[in-house]
Amino acid sequence: MTVLKPETLQRLQSALEAHRQGRLPEAERGYRAVLAQAPETLDASNLLGRLLVQTGRASEAVATLRRAVDLAPKQAGLWLSYAEALLGAGQVEQARQAVETARRLSPRDVNVLFLWAETQRIAGAWETAATGFRQALALQPKHAASWLQLATCLRALNDLPGAIAAAEQALAHAPQAPECHNNLGSLLAAKGDHGGAIAAFDQALKLRVDYPAALINKASSLGESDRLDEALPLAERAVQLTQGHADAWACLGQIRHAQGQLDLAQTAYREALSRRPQDPETQWNFALAALARGDFAAGWPAFAWRWRKAEPPLPRRNWPWPRFQNGGSPKRLLLWGEQGLDDRLLFLQYLPPLLEAASVMLETDPRLIPLLRRSFPTLSFTEEKTQADLALMNEAFDAHLPLGDLPQAAPPGQAYLLADAERAAGLRQEYLAGGKVRLIGLSWRSANPAIGAGKSLRPEDLAPLAAILDCRFVCLQYGATEDEHAQFRALFGDRFIVDDRIDAKNDLDALAAQIAALDLVITVSNVTAHLAGALGRPVWTLAPAGKSLFFYLMAAGETTPWYPTMRIFRSPAPGSWRVPVHAVAKRLESLAN
């Protein structure tokens, strides 16, 4: 152990006091002066290393602290500081090794246990990290940082209630820490409680006015709450404060996207991807914006990133055959469905050229098979199961392809489905009942769990259609309730037809025949809209504003290249249906005249 001269010891104490008071340049000069006089002074090396990490010079700190641990390899505190410096320098694996040494030397030191768990968390070893944070908390139950990071681990392990409980504990023990308020807010947002999340972010921003993470998170929750005008300046401020961090640009892109300013959204996404090109969420959002603008050349390559998102499409398949590459020539190809029914109907437009080049089997939702069998007589089918069919694995396919990878260019824009013509004619005759009226199909709700609410109307929203007297309105809504039927009967009287023989959810072949029997379909953006478009039937689609607007409805205008017979009536703001419904009623009235 080095015995310091009195004047050197006084210099070390003065440097430490300057460090505590935040006079960092003065502290650094003092530590270096001590080491110049007594190079083996471990306290000076340790404190200088910590200061260098604190001022963003972790790589320089690594060299300083490496010399210190070499001099005193059994001092856990030095190994701890060394591990912190390695983490700051991005040397995660070396940091894990260093803090493991510290843990062996001091297994009940809370700070050592915390950093050991931190290195596990950063490496993505969530279970191991959670165990480490719990060990630290067993020794010091009020250790707020351990509660905070335990919450992060539990969220990654899909234990959202546990994560929220841990975040609340962190906040109870460190109510003045803005990080604790921000973390709780992000967890409440993940739960869907954006009101509670915004309140938590506000508390974080009271404690630290220009806190980029809280600004970004609050902007995101405001966006999810359709408060886009409030969200925009927060996202712009975050971009400014972070000098264009990828998270800030991605958030700004999402706000612009929801506002319908897709050119600006694409620009923001490009900025984010220039900084973090491997981010699948931003690649996916960029794809949606590009496709909605008709920029298919940029959109489809980015669309392929969907498999790497936090919530990738379902089902996921690991087939034993190679994935089909564009330009290949397999003799026998397995095409498999992904995502929802509406997505599948969208992408099946691209199927006909593939059928001319190969023998194709489609694994898909069994509800689609009767309709597709009539429409594609050369296509063979197998019913989709929860897990990949083991019997199918033994088939001799040359390649496989998920349905969402079929598109490579602009959509063909051609009707491709064939309804049961005889059944459609019979239904039309029944619905007309000898009268000279127009038959209008109605569908007003989407069941999409993520964005369906923003696409859906209430029966009373369609009240302006009741004034059009030469029409009968046929219910096409899957899962319609008796209460909804009663509300429509109150509006339309006996001009509202419910055909109990048609199961619009499970019998898509029957629903297709029903659509083919009608003169027009008026619907929100759901499976009914896609079916009508794919059948080539006239369909007027009430398009939402904001995040619920999916790319096939495009960014603007009354038409879409996906379905030539579709006309689009756009909501001016999220949840605002008065303008498009009145436009539909006026158009119907003009047709009558």
Side-chain angles (χ1 to χ4, degrees):
M1 180 176 177
T2 302
V3 178
L4 299 180
K5 295 179 180 180
E7 63 270 20
T8 306
L9 180 60
Q10 179 59 44
R11 181 165 286 176
L12 177 60
Q13 290 171 340
S14 297
L16 177 58
E17 185 61 27
H19 197 164
R20 286 170 176 163
Q21 293 180 8
R23 304 194 312 272
L24 301 185
E26 179 184 337
E28 182 178 346
R29 287 194 297 271
Y31 295 144
R32 291 189 184 279
V34 170
L35 289 170
Q37 293 175 352
E40 295 185 358
T41 307
L42 297 178
D43 284 345
S45 295
N46 191 11
L47 291 166
L48 177 59
R50 287 181 173 275
L51 185 149
L52 292 170
V53 171
Q54 185 180 350
T55 54
R57 291 175 285 168
S59 296
E60 189 178 344
V62 167
T64 298
L65 291 164
R66 178 72 248 187
R67 288 193 296 271
V69 295
D70 286 342
L71 287 169
K74 293 188 177 181
Q75 286 200 21
L78 289 176
W79 282 104
L80 182 65
S81 297
Y82 181 47
E84 289 175 335
L86 288 165
L87 266 187
Q91 299 178 46
V92 177
E93 187 53 40
Q94 294 90 328
R96 290 177 74 181
Q97 294 170 10
V99 79
E100 185 66 50
T101 301
R103 192 169 73 119
R104 286 198 302 271
L105 292 168
S106 187
R108 293 183 61 79
D109 184 310
V110 170
N111 293 323
V112 169
L113 286 172
F114 174 79
L115 190 63
W116 179 84
E118 261 296 87
T119 60
Q120 303 298 322
R121 181 189 68 81
I122 292 168
W126 304 109
E127 288 278 9
T128 306
T131 299
F133 291 126
R134 288 190 177 106
Q135 289 172 349
L137 289 166
L139 294 170
Q140 190 173 321
K142 294 183 179 181
H143 196 254
S146 290
W147 282 115
L148 187 69
Q149 298 299 13
L150 177 60
T152 302
C153 293
L154 293 175
R155 180 178 182 178
L157 293 167
N158 296 316
D159 181 5
L160 191 55
I164 291 173
E168 289 171 340
Q169 284 288 335
L171 190 57
H173 300 308
Q176 296 305 306
E179 295 83 0
C180 293
H181 291 279
N182 182 60
N183 191 45
L184 178 60
S186 68
L187 292 168
L188 293 173
K191 181 184 173 184
D193 179 9
H194 291 289
I198 290 168
F201 300 138
D202 282 338
Q203 287 298 316
L205 290 165
K206 277 185 180 179
L207 293 165
R208 186 183 300 162
V209 175
D210 283 334
Y211 183 8
L215 288 168
I216 291 168
N217 287 334
K218 183 180 177 183
S220 296
S221 277
L222 287 170
E224 290 296 322
S225 305
D226 294 325
R227 294 162 61 182
L228 301 172
D229 290 342
E230 297 174 65
L232 181 61
L234 300 183
E236 291 175 330
R237 179 63 176 155
V239 169
Q240 181 184 26
L241 286 171
T242 61
Q243 298 182 336
H245 191 277
D247 287 339
W249 276 117
C251 177
L252 180 59
Q254 289 166 16
I255 302 303
R256 291 296 194 188
H257 198 152
Q259 288 178 322
Q261 300 180 30
L262 298 189
D263 53 342
L264 295 176
Q266 265 191 279
T267 297
Y269 292 144
R270 282 195 175 100
E271 291 286 354
L273 291 170
S274 71
R275 292 158 174 80
R276 194 165 58 210
Q278 301 300 309
D279 181 20
E281 305 296 332
T282 304
Q283 289 280 5
W284 169 251
N285 288 327
F286 174 81
L288 299 184
L291 295 173
R293 294 186 68 214
D295 185 359
F296 299 108
W300 291 129
F303 193 78
W305 283 79
R306 66 196 183 281
W307 297 108
R308 296 174 62 179
K309 290 170 73 261
E311 295 182 4
L314 293 175
R316 298 187 73 177
R317 298 288 193 240
N318 291 313
W319 299 112
W321 317 287
R323 183 187 169 281
F324 173 71
Q325 299 295 326
N326 189 38
S329 54
K331 293 181 179 178
R332 195 150 185 254
L333 174 69
L334 177 67
L335 186 65
W336 50 283
E338 53 164 295
Q339 306 182 61
L341 289 172
D342 43 2
D343 301 274
R344 300 177 189 218
L345 289 166
L346 201 63
F347 299 139
L348 281 167
Q349 289 189 39
Y350 293 87
L351 181 57
L354 198 61
L355 292 176
E356 296 175 6
S359 171
V360 181
M361 175 178 282
L362 174 64
E363 185 207 40
T364 193
D365 190 310
R367 292 175 292 174
L368 283 171
I369 291 177
L371 180 58
L372 294 178
R373 181 171 282 126
R374 179 185 307 105
S375 305
F376 299 110
T378 64
L379 182 63
S380 57
F381 299 92
T382 183
E383 290 190 7
E384 178 181 292
K385 297 177 173 61
T386 305
Q387 302 295 328
D389 189 345
L390 293 178
L392 196 59
M393 294 273 197
N394 295 322
E395 294 274 352
F397 291 104
D398 300 306
H400 74 92
L401 187 71
L403 199 56
D405 282 355
L406 265 179
Q408 297 291 330
Q414 297 177 350
Y416 66 89
L417 291 182
L418 297 174
D420 184 334
E422 184 177 347
R423 187 173 189 180
L427 290 172
R428 179 172 181 82
Q429 190 173 9
E430 289 181 35
Y431 297 159
L432 288 172
K436 292 184 178 180
V437 294
R438 286 173 298 166
L439 298 176
I440 312 293
L442 289 182
S443 181
W444 56 90
R445 187 155 40 79
S446 167
N448 186 298
I451 58 175
K455 299 195 289 182
S456 299
L457 284 76
R458 302 162 301 173
E460 58 264 35
D461 292 326
L462 293 168
L465 303 186
I468 315 300
L469 299 178
D470 70 333
C471 300
R472 286 185 184 150
F473 296 92
V474 180
C475 176
L476 302 177
Q477 180 61 51
Y478 46 89
T481 66
E482 285 300 322
D483 182 60
E484 288 173 312
H485 289 164
Q487 292 179 67
F488 276 111
R489 289 193 181 98
L491 288 172
F492 299 118
D494 60 4
R495 294 185 296 130
F496 183 70
I497 299 170
V498 176
D499 191 338
D500 292 326
R501 299 167 299 177
I502 307 293
D503 181 349
K505 180 179 179 180
N506 296 307
D507 191 349
L508 297 182
D509 196 36
L511 179 60
Q514 192 178 32
I515 290 170
L518 308 176
D519 296 298
L520 173 67
V521 171
I522 297 173
T523 181
V524 297
S525 174
N526 60 12
V527 171
T528 304
H530 289 276
L531 266 180
L535 288 162
R537 302 299 301 159
V539 51
W540 294 357
T541 303
L542 293 156
K547 61 183 181 294
S548 294
L549 182 69
F550 202 48
F551 66 79
Y552 83 98
L553 292 171
M554 311 308 288
E558 194 177 273
T559 62
T560 169
W562 292 91
Y563 301 121
T565 59
M566 181 178 287
R567 293 296 173 266
I568 300 169
F569 296 79
R570 299 183 183 275
S571 168
S576 177
W577 294 109
R578 182 179 177 278
V579 170
V581 170
H582 276 274
V584 164
K586 187 175 181 181
R587 184 79 62 90
L588 267 182
E589 189 175 12
S590 69
L591 290 178
N593 294 333

